[in-house]
Amino acid sequence: MRQIPVDTSAATVMVAQPPQPKVRDRRTGEIATDAETGATLMTVDVMFAANGEVEILSVTVPQPGISGELVMGTPVAITGLVARPWENEFNGQRRHGISFRAVAVTSLAAGTAKAA
């Protein structure tokens, strides 16, 4: 699958919704896991502000990659963010979009608190 690296160096990124387990199957409630490591996958909604525009992105990250307390408004750093275009068909309807995955989402507030 094609992956597009996303440069976050010039962006301001803050938590919009705290991490939640990613649900693989809504009918059964099965939680998604990383295919390589088996780690639980989490979804973190972030406000991504760059070039005068603001977007809310839903980023999937393995649970061990989440560090610090990620509450609404917490400034964060996103490591290894990639965008993946997707397309599927369900009940005769075609859907498409872009999903986002990262290696880590780290609270920048925690780093500031430790330095003080």
Side-chain angles (χ1 to χ4, degrees):
M1 181 182 292
R2 185 173 60 171
Q3 295 184 42
I4 305 163
V6 179
D7 180 11
T8 61
S9 62
T12 299
V13 185
M14 296 188 331
V15 174
Q17 282 286 10
Q20 299 291 322
K22 181 175 178 142
V23 178
R24 179 182 176 140
D25 186 334
R26 291 184 183 150
R27 291 173 291 160
T28 65
E30 179 185 1
I31 302 299
T33 56
D34 185 278
E36 293 177 15
T37 67
T40 298
L41 291 177
M42 305 294 285
T43 301
V44 183
D45 290 348
V46 297
M47 179 200 74
F48 189 92
N51 302 321
E53 295 186 23
V54 177
E55 299 277 342
I56 300 294
L57 305 179
S58 191
V59 179
T60 299
V61 60
Q63 191 170 26
I66 294 176
S67 61
E69 187 174 347
L70 301 183
V71 296
M72 188 181 298
T74 304
V76 293
I78 300 181
T79 305
L81 182 63
V82 294
R84 296 178 179 171
W86 60 268
E87 184 175 329
N88 65 26
E89 188 171 331
F90 184 72
N91 288 336
Q93 292 186 333
R94 294 182 68 107
R95 298 178 54 197
H96 59 89
I98 299 173
S99 64
F100 295 91
R101 174 116 182 209
V103 172
V105 176
T106 307
S107 170
L108 295 177
T112 304
K114 288 180 184 175

